[in-house]
Amino acid sequence: MSLPCWRLRGRSVPLFAAGVFLFWAVTLAAWDVGERDAKLHAGNVLHWTRVLSTESLSLPTGSIVEQDLGEGLRHRYRYTGLRLLIERNGRYYVVPVNWNAKTDSIWVIRESENTWIGLMPGVQ
């Protein structure tokens, strides 16, 4: 037994409205979760850039921390306190965290089998 055409039309409008409302609610919830996640990650952005190298890169150690991880590791030296500006063709342009555009240098580090540059979460 089928429903008359006028009853189907009467039900389709509320169902369509409910679907639009559901879509709208899910969109707002996703937006809120994304915004909270972005704020959480933005607080740790200073800890994202890590440079590992088999040999010392002789970067100034004023605001950049060089850690010697020991002889047993392939990438013995770890550098923190850097911010990645841009990466182009295997070249990483980095600056110290407290970089001053008028007076400080930009360092270009080439990625190779001896040097690894990565963006990581701020957890060690």
Side-chain angles (χ1 to χ4, degrees):
M1 195 170 178
S2 65
L3 293 174
C5 186
W6 60 270
R7 289 187 70 188
L8 285 176
R9 285 187 196 139
R11 289 184 180 177
S12 62
V13 171
L15 285 175
F16 178 75
V20 169
F21 176 74
L22 180 64
F23 179 76
W24 177 68
V26 169
T27 301
L28 287 179
W31 184 277
D32 187 50
V33 168
E35 190 171 348
R36 258 187 287 140
D37 189 48
K39 286 179 183 177
L40 176 69
H41 283 82
N44 294 327
V45 74
L46 300 179
H47 305 287
W48 284 6
T49 305
R50 299 279 194 270
V51 176
L52 298 173
S53 178
T54 56
E55 54 197 36
S56 177
L57 298 178
S58 301
L59 296 174
T61 56
S63 62
I64 299 171
V65 177
E66 178 186 83
Q67 293 175 303
D68 187 347
L69 302 175
E71 291 184 31
L73 297 173
R74 172 168 167 67
H75 294 100
R76 179 177 178 173
Y77 298 95
R78 176 171 57 189
Y79 297 90
T80 55
L82 295 167
R83 240 186 224 179
L84 177 65
L85 291 179
I86 192 168
E87 182 272 329
R88 294 285 165 127
N89 299 324
R91 293 182 180 147
Y92 292 80
Y93 298 82
V94 296
V95 296
V97 171
N98 59 356
W99 181 66
N100 183 338
K102 292 183 179 184
T103 59
D104 294 338
S105 301
I106 297 174
W107 296 294
V108 180
I109 301 174
R110 288 186 184 209
E111 187 173 35
S112 69
E113 59 187 43
N114 296 328
T115 305
W116 179 84
I117 296 96
L119 292 176
M120 307 168 72
V123 179
Q124 294 198 9

